[in-house]
Each structure stands twice: as structure tokens, then as C-alpha cells.
Amino acid sequence: MFAPRPLALSILGRCPWRCCRRKHSAAAVPLSVREALVAKVDEGAKDVKIQGWVRSVRSQKEVLFLHVNDGSSLESLQIVAEPGLKNSAVSFGSSVEVCGVLVKSPGKKQSAELKAKEIRVIGDCDSQDFPFKIKERHPPEYVRQHPHLRCRTNTFASLLRVRSAATLAIQQFFQSNGYVHIHTPIITSNDCEGAGELFQVEAANRDQKGDGGFFGVPAFLTVSGQLHLEIMSGGFQKAFTFGPTFRAENSQGRRHLAEFYMVEAEISFTESLEDIMQVMENLFKDTTAAILSKCPEDMNFFFKYVSTGQQGSLEKMIKNNFIVMSYTEALEILTRATTSFQHKTEWGCDLQKEHEKYLVKHCGNIPVFVTDYPYDLKPFYARDNEDGPQRTVAAVDLLVPGIGELFGGSLREERLHFLQSRLDRLGLSDTYQWYLDLRRFGSVPHGGFGMGFERYLQCVVGVDNIKDTIPFPRFPYSCLL
Amino acid sequence: MFAPRPLALSILGRCPWRCCRRKHSAAAVPLSVREALVAKVDEGAKDVKIQGWVRSVRSQKEVLFLHVNDGSSLESLQIVAEPGLKNSAVSFGSSVEVCGVLVKSPGKKQSAELKAKEIRVIGDCDSQDFPFKIKERHPPEYVRQHPHLRCRTNTFASLLRVRSAATLAIQQFFQSNGYVHIHTPIITSNDCEGAGELFQVEAANRDQKGDGGFFGVPAFLTVSGQLHLEIMSGGFQKAFTFGPTFRAENSQGRRHLAEFYMVEAEISFTESLEDIMQVMENLFKDTTAAILSKCPEDMNFFFKYVSTGQQGSLEKMIKNNFIVMSYTEALEILTRATTSFQHKTEWGCDLQKEHEKYLVKHCGNIPVFVTDYPYDLKPFYARDNEDGPQRTVAAVDLLVPGIGELFGGSLREERLHFLQSRLDRLGLSDTYQWYLDLRRFGSVPHGGFGMGFERYLQCVVGVDNIKDTIPFPRFPYSCLL
């Protein structure tokens, strides 16, 4: 693999970033802010070049202080300069290149600071027109109205770094555990799961449409990669996908997006829901541990400024074994509750948000697996437990504090005759001949799960609105840029 | 991070996979085929359990040979059993669980084999109905007609393992080099690049459509994440995206898909096209090196059976520095050529497939960067070189053997007045106010590139048709499953 950028400040001539063929002046080595902040300055002063955006300007009689950020870390680099280097264009939001000497900072807040020899403004920024103001904390609703500038705020830049680290951590979790990554299709002719909340896709230009449309059949955006991933369960013992999914749901809520990301996995040769639950728990804990270790500053920023109490809540989730209870047990708990619920709590009813909240609280705010749901509540592919005539299926949801349902999973019905008769009753046998084929040719017991990635981020950083966990949120009446 | 599965065969009781909470019988530790193939059998016989699909059955008087594959590797595990363990359902394509003792193989082909004590058929497979036949090599066109069973063939399973390894390698390349991963949007209201080959998206169900559609504006599937990634160039020095993109192009060719994956990167504070080219070259070489090291068997399979000569060709690409020539130099080469081309070769014309092929061959089949294209050939965002009135732009394409254009990149026009006047002339200024804003508020010189992921896979494994590089190919009149 490509080695991480070396921090060697002493390489002469050749760019130490290894990112370019240019010979930078040996006197001024370009460094990212993150690199500058951790550079060893004890060994003597270093001539470096920093490029970034001005986050603060403080002009005193004798000295000029700047803070410059380039997105490589939450923290900015402090620049110390003679007032003579000040230029009226050096303002909040402008981009600058600063050459100077990296020295040990006398201040306690940072270990290194840059004594500037030269400050060059690359792109100015009219503070009147710029929608974000220096040292102001703008509410998320306001920031969202400027999607093309949103990454210039601390909170959203931190979110994006955490999201990026989580994306890599999820890939590494699965691949290091022997899972094959599959790009399940985005456009699909499979319109089912009975969802109804589908987006349809067609060529915009008439010239591209033939008879019956571009694809010759109605085509939709995927609502889940599961069925396509199950195909892979016939050849790979472990497979996963991590990509966008879509719901044309008329909801403006804090928990819903029209375009969101799902992490889905399928495991073959598994007859136990516990196998699936263990992978879910490991995925949650290992990904969270990776984020905490990779982005400690960003996470602390969320804990301190965005969601107080979140740190303790998250530590509790990580330290404890998740709780397991059956749907039937959950219903008993709800029935015994002194709280009065808006929705009924009879065996057979779906769990509502209020029920989920109660159950999580009842479990001391530790995530709780609810298993073995009524047959009629779950889709056709869930495996019949045979504990009565079509009574329960081997399905599981993971409920977490603040969010409710974060994962959903099940064993899949691998027995041809069970699946065939259920599809017959639903009138779906013709549509799903290919799915039945998977049970005709070397069928294996298997199961899997899906996790909503944005809900996961909400759960981890404690952001209230799911729209603040994704770079470009899409929801009814909104598709900015 | 979650540790890779330990290979410890001796752990008693607790599942050594760490994938489940179950207590497997200490006498039969479940192993993947890959694990079994590399297990140290010198230390004595081990009781293990293998689960997978039968790839071959050979019944002799004294002994029964099976080969079982579970997708964890190209190679299958050889099972040796007494003929009495044979069951008529043990056939090609059926799924089995074999318990037995892992021993050193007397054969030369494999180091370990399994002496079976018990063979249990999990799911049978009617060889009459199963579309793939034992020991037959089916042409890719035939295999493609069975998208739900395609992963059960050696060639496609190898492709999927290589694709999975490449996906991780690309994430790791960028993240270890300080890039932030961004999920650029799939659904966008940005209908431009003048492409015209767009897919439009709308809620399928009328109830979800309000006035003006679900989003209140026409919405399309993205053709590139570049413009959205450029937004991130205003906050992060380095950003990348890797996701699906779409073209409603009426092409059934070997090089085009309606749904394909793009790897795109943007780098800020860069004034040199060479910076961008170096990242392109590093990405190609490091990803390829990662695949070769992670999937040596699968790659050798392609080299041996799918594309002869590919190994040498690929090694040549990796060992040599890529060649750089300007568009003007390329045109001189084409004009001097003794070959007669179908398309004209005058300065200002676009390079056609035949030209690209000739140039790569002329360069000894080493990938070649063609730089500084005529102004009118490239989109509005390409940076004017100012070598004449709107003469050339700082754009680059990378041409590779067998494929032609694999990467496209450019410096982006960061100067407000240049961009504004170009957009004015195109009548696009109103649409792109947000894009102009990026140049108003702390603009920085920046550039980036995009690589077609499926074309990259074609280039590396030597597969002829792009449809054989993606799990579920979408193209005109075809959207299977």
C-alpha cells in the first residue's frame, strides 16, 4: 500500500508529500495543519508553508494572530506575525498561504505555532456577503440553507471527518473478517417488498427511451440490497454491501431521508439468529471504537458542544453486552408498564417509536435486541420459527437510545416449500422465480441484517436531526444542488 | 479494530470465528476453505467442519473425492472419503457440511485435505435444471443470462473478490493519504454538464408526488460527483468520493454501462496539473499492487484462462513511469502516422477510440497522459491556460492499453471573472450561482480527476466486456433483477 505521507521536514528538493512531482523550494516544505500541529519542533525551527482558510484574525499593537484551518483537523494552526504583514484581505473565510518557521508555542492550547515570514492571500472573502460570521455559532437549520458552504463550519466539518472514518472502518471490519464487498444495484426492476414508497427511473430525454422505456421494463431505485446480496449467499459464505438506498416517503421527520446509506450483510451456513446478532454488535462496537480512536478531537467537540451527556451514553453502549429479549417478552414489559401509550400493546402489534423508547429505557439505556416477531409483521423472506401455525419468525431489530430501531435482521427462509407457499399466498411466486431458484440449487441456511448509516451516525455523535449527518440531504420538496 | 479471525484450532467450546456466541462442539471447529487450505497440519490431525458447495465429485472403487468451495478462495478443498459416505444428493452445485480430520495432502496440488467422517447434504441441486454444468466452461454471454447464479462460476467469483479487494484498496489509498471521503449525492437537481443523457427520478406512487413532483423540482441521477466534491474543496484540502454514477446512453458497447462506479478526487491549493497526474498514477499503481498481493490466485486465474498476455502487459504498466504528452504533441504524432484513421486528425478535434489506441501503442503500451486540450473540447470548469485567446485548458486524460480513456481530470477554473464570463456565454450563470459562490468566498486553485471503476477492472483483469466487471449490469433494454 501507499505509505502515509512522511513527516520528514528535511527532504531537500523533492516534495515530501509524494503527491506531486514538483520540486518545492527546500526552504518551505508544505505541511497540512494536522501535520504542523504534531510536528516535532524541539529539534529546531523548520521552514514550512501552510495553506488554508482563515478562521480568526486578532490584531494587536505588537502582534497579529491568525488561525488557519485546512480541514485536516478540527484544530487550526496559530499563526503569529508582525502587524506589518497584515493585509486588509486577510479576513475570516479568506484563503491564505503562510510561509514561516514552525516553533514551539508558548501558549498552552497548542504545541506548535507558525511564526510567519510571509502571508499571501489566495482568495478573499467578503465578510458582508459570506453567510457565516466570525465566532458565531449558527443553528443547524441556518447552516443547512447553504449546502455549498456548510463544510466550512466546525460542526459539519467534524461530522464529515467522522463519517469518512466510519466509512473506512466499516469496510475494514467486514473485509478483515472475510466478507466480500458487493456493489448491489442502484437501479432495479424489483419493485417489491410491498413498499410502495419507490422512486421510478426513466431516461429524461425521449431519444433515449425506446418502447417500454430505456430498460424495456419499469425501473426503480433500490430500497435495500438484501435480495441481491442473498444471491451472493449462494457463492460466498459472507458478503456485505454499503451503498445508497431510497424511499419516496412523505416524511419531513428528524429520522427520515429520501436518500440514505445502508450497511447490509449476509452470512451463509448459519442457523442461529445469535450468530447474526453477534456480528451486529461487533460492527457497532468496532466501528465506534475506530471513530473514537481516529477522530478524538471531533468526537470531543460533539460531546462538549453538540450533545451533552452523549459521551457517557456512548461509553455505556460500548462497555455493556447488548440485551436480548423476545418480542413476546417485550410485549409483557410494555403491558406491565405504568406509562400509558398512544398505541395499543397487544401481542401482534408493531412496536411504535414510543414503545421502542420505553424498552430501551427499561433496559437501562443499553441497546436491546428484540427477537422472534409475529409472522405477519415481517416480510416474506423471514424464516418461520414453527412455534405454532405461522406464529413467529426468526427476525430481530436492534433498538438504541435516542434513535429506536437501528438494525433490522433475520434468518431467511431457505426451505423451498415454506417460501414457495408463502409467495403463493402473496401472489408473488412468478415475480420471485429467481429468488426461489436460490433455494432450488444448493440452498443453505442463511441470515443477515441492515443498518441505517445515518441513524448510526446520529446515535454516535448525538446529532438531533438526520439531515445533519449527510452532505446533501434529500427529503420531500428539497433537493438542493 | 476487530481482529481478523484467529486460526486457533485448539480453542475449546467458544467459537474461534468470534462471529457467534454459540458453543460449537470442540471436536469440530468450523473453518472456511481458505483457512483450511493454509492451516498448519504438521502439528497433527485436527477435527474440523467445512461448509460449502460441491464443485466436483469423483467416485472410485476405494475412495470418494469431492471438491468443496465456499467463496473464500478460488481454490476448493479436497475431501477424501470412504465410498460408503456417498449419497446420491452429493452432486455438483449442492451444499454440504463435511466433518472430518484435516491432514497433510499426499497430492502436490494442495497442502491440506479433509478426511471426511461425515458428509451432510444441506441443499441439493438438480443437475438437469441447474444452468451450469460440471467442468464446463460457459461463455460469459451465457453466464450473464443467469444473474442470480453467476457468482457460482469460478470466473465471476474471482472477479467479485478482485472487485472487493480493489474497493477496499481505493478507500485505504485515499484515507491513508489524508483525503476525506464524501458521499456525493445520487439524486441531484443539477441537470448540467450539457450531457442530456440523464435519468430522471420521480416518486412512483402519485400519493408521494406533491405539486412539481416529490422534490418540488426536476431531479436526476448524478453523472459525476465532481461539482459536489468541489464544494468540499472549500473546506478540505483533499476529498474523494467513490460511488455510482449514471448515463442514459443508448450504447450496447463493450465499454459502456448505464450504471457504473466512479472514483473521484479533488485537491485544493494545487496549481499544477502534474500534482493531479501523480495522484492518478499512484492510485492506479497502488490499487493494482494491492489486488495482486491480496488476490494472487484470482489474478493468476485471469492471466491463465481469461486474458493471455495480460500479466506482462500489466507488469509493464506498473513498472514504468507513465508517459506525458500534450494534446498538441499527440496531434503531431497522429498526423505523422502512416495509419489511415476513420476520423480526422486536425488540431481541435476530439480524440476518438482509434486515435487513443494508436497513441498508447505508439508509447509502447505504457499508459499515457494527454494534457492541455483545446478550450472548446472540455467543460466550462476546466482552467484556461491563457496560451492564446481561449486556446487550451489544463485538462488531462489518461489513456491505457485495451481501454483508451481511463481517467479524466483538470485544474478547475478558480478565478471568478474567468468562470463568470464563460458561464455567461453559455447562459448558465443563474444555474451556477452556488458554484460561483465557491469562487467568491476564499477561492483556491484546485483540481481533480475521475476514474471509471469498471474500466479500471477491465484494464487490470483483461476482461473483454465491461458487463462482466459488475455484479448487476444495467444497459439499454436490460435491467435484470
Side-chain angles (χ1 to χ4, degrees):
Chain A
M1 288 307 306
F2 197 78
R5 272 197 215 165
L7 255 175
L9 297 171
S10 57
I11 293 168
L12 291 176
R14 186 79 185 170
C15 166
W17 292 21
R18 295 175 53 180
C19 69
C20 73
R21 284 163 164 168
R22 272 201 297 178
K23 296 200 176 177
H24 294 283
S25 144
V29 176
L31 284 189
S32 75
V33 167
R34 172 181 289 275
E35 287 166 340
L37 288 169
V38 299
K40 287 193 181 119
V41 282
D42 301 334
E43 296 156 18
K46 311 282 184 189
D47 266 328
V48 302
K49 181 164 78 175
I50 294 289
Q51 298 160 316
W53 294 269
V54 175
R55 285 293 172 88
S56 80
V57 191
R58 191 153 50 92
S59 201
Q60 295 182 346
K61 227 184 215 168
E62 308 274 303
V63 65
L64 168 70
F65 289 105
L66 293 186
H67 282 95
V68 174
N69 190 289
D70 65 357
S72 60
S73 71
L74 173 70
E75 210 184 322
S76 299
L77 183 67
Q78 176 157 290
I79 313 285
V80 187
E82 286 174 23
L85 290 182
K86 171 107 171 89
N87 170 330
S88 67
V90 178
S91 66
F92 177 63
S94 65
S95 54
V96 294
E97 179 176 289
V98 185
C99 289
V101 183
L102 205 59
V103 295
K104 201 166 177 166
S105 175
K108 279 180 187 166
K109 281 191 176 174
Q110 59 280 317
S111 63
E113 63 183 28
L114 188 65
K115 279 184 82 164
K117 288 177 180 171
E118 192 195 340
I119 301 176
R120 191 165 72 88
V121 175
I122 297 175
D124 51 16
C125 180
D126 187 323
S127 53
Q128 287 274 303
D129 294 343
F130 192 51
F132 304 136
K133 304 303 168 195
I134 192 166
K135 288 189 179 167
E136 229 172 87
R137 179 153 300 159
H138 303 282
E141 297 73 24
Y142 177 81
V143 175
R144 240 178 271 145
Q145 287 166 28
H146 306 279
H148 60 309
L149 302 169
R150 202 155 66 129
C151 68
R152 305 195 189 188
T153 64
N154 274 340
T155 312
F156 202 61
S158 280
L159 185 281
L160 290 175
R161 279 188 296 270
V162 170
R163 189 179 165 108
S164 173
T167 302
L168 177 62
I170 288 166
Q171 273 284 342
Q172 287 175 329
F173 170 84
F174 283 114
Q175 297 233 17
S176 68
N177 284 287
Y179 288 74
V180 176
H181 177 270
I182 299 291
H183 282 114
T184 50
I186 310 302
I187 301 176
T188 169
S189 54
N190 175 26
D191 64 346
C192 292
E193 283 212 55
E197 289 157 347
L198 291 166
F199 286 108
Q200 193 159 353
V201 176
E202 190 43 84
N205 192 323
R206 277 184 200 190
D207 302 344
Q208 264 86 42
K209 290 185 218 177
D211 294 336
F214 183 87
F215 293 110
V217 290
F220 307 93
L221 294 182
T222 182
V223 294
S224 155
Q226 181 200 316
L227 300 189
H228 294 93
L229 209 54
E230 276 190 72
I231 286 174
M232 302 302 165
S233 292
F236 299 104
Q237 207 176 48
K238 299 173 174 187
F240 80 107
T241 189
F242 179 8
T245 48
F246 306 85
R247 298 271 162 93
E249 200 170 350
N250 220 328
S251 164
Q252 296 266 10
R254 293 181 303 106
R255 300 202 307 158
H256 292 92
L257 291 166
E259 172 178 316
F260 57 101
Y261 282 74
M262 288 262 279
V263 178
E264 295 174 275
E266 286 291 320
I267 301 146
S268 287
F269 298 101
T270 277
E271 289 168 70
S272 142
L273 206 51
E274 284 202 331
D275 286 7
I276 311 295
M277 282 151 55
Q278 188 65 60
V279 181
M280 289 154 81
E281 186 169 337
N282 289 344
L283 173 65
F284 182 93
K285 290 183 174 175
D286 287 8
T287 305
T288 307
I291 294 171
L292 287 167
S293 124
K294 182 94 182 286
C295 309
E297 291 172 18
D298 296 309
M299 290 301 286
N300 283 330
F301 178 84
F302 281 107
F303 296 154
K304 205 166 164 188
Y305 297 108
V306 178
S307 176
T308 353
Q310 177 65 14
Q311 185 167 16
S313 163
L314 194 59
E315 275 167 10
K316 196 171 186 179
M317 291 190 237
I318 294 175
K319 267 196 305 203
N320 289 285
N321 284 331
F322 291 1
I323 290 164
V324 184
M325 66 171 70
S326 70
Y327 169 89
T328 304
E329 287 165 331
L331 258 285
E332 279 166 19
I333 291 166
L334 292 172
T335 316
R336 282 201 310 267
T338 50
T339 319
S340 65
F341 298 112
Q342 283 200 307
H343 301 84
K344 63 177 179 179
T345 53
E346 279 165 24
W347 199 97
C349 71
D350 214 347
L351 294 183
Q352 303 295 326
K353 176 88 179 149
E354 57 175 346
H355 304 143
E356 293 174 353
K357 267 190 171 172
Y358 184 87
L359 289 169
V360 172
K361 210 173 165 189
H362 178 88
C363 293
N365 287 312
I366 295 167
V368 52
F369 289 111
V370 180
T371 68
D372 302 302
Y373 279 80
Y375 185 94
D376 289 329
L377 283 185
K378 293 290 172 183
F380 67 84
Y381 48 71
R383 192 178 197 273
D384 192 341
N385 278 328
E386 292 182 276
D387 53 348
Q390 302 172 3
R391 184 175 158 78
T392 69
V393 288
V396 58
D397 284 351
L398 177 67
L399 313 180
V400 297
I403 305 295
E405 185 194 337
L406 177 63
F407 285 77
S410 77
L411 296 182
R412 322 304 189 187
E413 188 55 82
E414 90 283 6
R415 296 162 297 185
L416 181 61
H417 59 289
F418 278 82
L419 189 61
Q420 176 90 60
S421 62
R422 189 157 191 186
L423 286 171
D424 282 347
R425 282 196 302 278
L426 295 165
L428 290 172
S429 291
D430 285 348
T431 314
Y432 283 113
Q433 275 308 313
W434 65 269
Y435 191 70
L436 289 164
D437 265 4
L438 304 179
R439 278 71 180 167
R440 282 190 190 105
F441 304 123
S443 182
V444 297
H446 66 287
F449 64 83
M451 174 185 85
F453 184 53
E454 283 75 19
R455 284 198 187 169
Y456 167 75
L457 291 172
Q458 263 190 297
C459 173
V460 169
V461 301
V463 160
D464 186 51
N465 195 317
I466 199 165
K467 299 181 181 75
D468 297 321
T469 63
I470 189 164
F472 300 92
R474 272 75 179 96
F475 48 95
Y477 301 107
S478 182
C479 184
L480 296 177
L481 309 187
Chain B
M1 288 307 305
F2 196 79
R5 272 198 215 165
L7 256 175
L9 297 172
S10 56
I11 293 168
L12 290 177
R14 186 81 186 168
C15 167
W17 292 21
R18 295 174 54 179
C19 70
C20 73
R21 284 162 163 169
R22 271 200 296 176
K23 295 199 178 178
H24 293 283
S25 144
V29 176
L31 284 189
S32 74
V33 166
R34 173 180 289 275
E35 287 166 340
L37 287 168
V38 300
K40 287 190 182 124
V41 281
D42 302 333
E43 296 157 18
K46 312 281 184 188
D47 265 330
V48 302
K49 181 164 78 177
I50 294 289
Q51 297 159 315
W53 293 268
V54 175
R55 285 294 170 88
S56 80
V57 192
R58 191 154 48 92
S59 201
Q60 295 181 349
K61 227 185 219 172
E62 311 273 303
V63 64
L64 168 71
F65 288 104
L66 294 185
H67 282 94
V68 174
N69 190 290
D70 66 358
S72 60
S73 72
L74 173 69
E75 209 181 323
S76 299
L77 183 68
Q78 176 158 292
I79 313 285
V80 187
E82 285 174 23
L85 290 181
K86 172 110 170 85
N87 170 330
S88 67
V90 178
S91 66
F92 178 62
S94 65
S95 54
V96 293
E97 181 176 286
V98 185
C99 289
V101 183
L102 205 59
V103 296
K104 201 166 177 168
S105 175
K108 279 180 185 168
K109 280 191 176 175
Q110 59 279 318
S111 63
E113 63 183 27
L114 187 66
K115 278 184 83 163
K117 291 177 181 170
E118 190 194 343
I119 301 175
R120 189 165 73 89
V121 174
I122 297 175
D124 51 15
C125 181
D126 186 323
S127 54
Q128 288 274 302
D129 294 344
F130 193 50
F132 304 136
K133 303 303 167 196
I134 192 165
K135 288 189 178 166
E136 227 173 85
R137 179 152 299 159
H138 303 282
E141 297 74 24
Y142 176 81
V143 176
R144 240 178 271 144
Q145 288 166 26
H146 305 280
H148 60 309
L149 302 169
R150 201 154 66 128
C151 67
R152 305 194 189 188
T153 64
N154 273 340
T155 311
F156 203 61
S158 280
L159 185 282
L160 291 175
R161 277 188 297 270
V162 169
R163 187 177 167 111
S164 173
T167 301
L168 177 63
I170 288 167
Q171 273 284 343
Q172 287 175 328
F173 171 85
F174 283 114
Q175 297 233 19
S176 68
N177 284 288
Y179 289 73
V180 175
H181 178 269
I182 300 291
H183 283 114
T184 50
I186 311 302
I187 301 177
T188 170
S189 53
N190 176 28
D191 63 347
C192 293
E193 284 213 54
E197 288 157 348
L198 292 166
F199 285 108
Q200 194 159 353
V201 176
E202 189 46 83
N205 191 324
R206 277 185 198 189
D207 302 344
Q208 265 86 43
K209 291 185 215 176
D211 295 336
F214 183 87
F215 293 109
V217 291
F220 307 92
L221 293 183
T222 183
V223 295
S224 154
Q226 182 200 317
L227 301 188
H228 294 94
L229 209 54
E230 277 192 71
I231 286 173
M232 301 302 164
S233 292
F236 298 104
Q237 208 176 48
K238 299 174 175 186
F240 81 107
T241 189
F242 179 8
T245 49
F246 306 85
R247 297 272 161 90
E249 203 170 347
N250 220 327
S251 164
Q252 296 267 11
R254 292 182 304 107
R255 299 202 309 157
H256 293 92
L257 291 167
E259 172 178 317
F260 57 101
Y261 282 75
M262 288 261 280
V263 178
E264 295 174 276
E266 286 291 320
I267 301 146
S268 287
F269 299 101
T270 278
E271 289 168 73
S272 142
L273 206 51
E274 284 202 330
D275 287 7
I276 311 296
M277 281 150 54
Q278 188 65 61
V279 182
M280 286 154 81
E281 186 169 337
N282 290 344
L283 173 65
F284 181 93
K285 289 182 174 176
D286 287 10
T287 305
T288 308
I291 295 171
L292 287 167
S293 123
K294 183 92 182 287
C295 309
E297 290 172 19
D298 296 309
M299 290 301 287
N300 283 331
F301 178 82
F302 282 107
F303 296 154
K304 204 167 164 188
Y305 297 108
V306 178
S307 177
T308 352
Q310 178 65 13
Q311 184 167 17
S313 163
L314 194 60
E315 274 166 11
K316 198 172 186 179
M317 292 190 235
I318 294 174
K319 266 196 308 205
N320 289 284
N321 285 330
F322 290 1
I323 290 164
V324 183
M325 67 171 68
S326 70
Y327 169 89
T328 304
E329 287 165 332
L331 259 286
E332 279 165 20
I333 291 166
L334 292 173
T335 316
R336 282 201 310 266
T338 49
T339 318
S340 67
F341 297 111
Q342 283 200 306
H343 301 84
K344 63 178 180 179
T345 54
E346 279 166 25
W347 199 97
C349 72
D350 215 347
L351 295 182
Q352 302 296 326
K353 177 86 181 151
E354 57 176 347
H355 304 143
E356 292 174 354
K357 268 190 169 171
Y358 183 88
L359 289 168
V360 172
K361 208 171 167 190
H362 178 89
C363 294
N365 286 314
I366 294 167
V368 52
F369 290 111
V370 179
T371 69
D372 302 303
Y373 279 80
Y375 186 93
D376 289 328
L377 283 185
K378 292 290 173 185
F380 67 84
Y381 49 70
R383 193 177 196 274
D384 192 341
N385 277 328
E386 291 183 277
D387 54 348
Q390 301 170 2
R391 185 174 156 79
T392 68
V393 287
V396 58
D397 284 350
L398 177 67
L399 313 180
V400 296
I403 307 295
E405 185 194 338
L406 177 62
F407 285 76
S410 77
L411 296 181
R412 320 306 188 186
E413 189 55 83
E414 89 284 6
R415 296 161 297 185
L416 181 61
H417 59 289
F418 276 82
L419 189 62
Q420 175 90 62
S421 63
R422 190 156 191 188
L423 286 172
D424 283 348
R425 283 197 303 278
L426 294 166
L428 290 172
S429 292
D430 286 348
T431 314
Y432 283 112
Q433 276 307 313
W434 66 269
Y435 192 71
L436 289 163
D437 266 4
L438 304 179
R439 278 70 180 168
R440 283 188 188 106
F441 303 123
S443 183
V444 296
H446 66 287
F449 63 84
M451 175 184 85
F453 184 52
E454 283 76 18
R455 284 199 187 169
Y456 166 75
L457 290 173
Q458 264 190 294
C459 172
V460 170
V461 301
V463 159
D464 187 51
N465 194 316
I466 200 165
K467 298 181 183 75
D468 296 321
T469 63
I470 190 165
F472 300 92
R474 271 76 179 95
F475 49 95
Y477 300 106
S478 181
C479 184
L480 296 177
L481 309 188

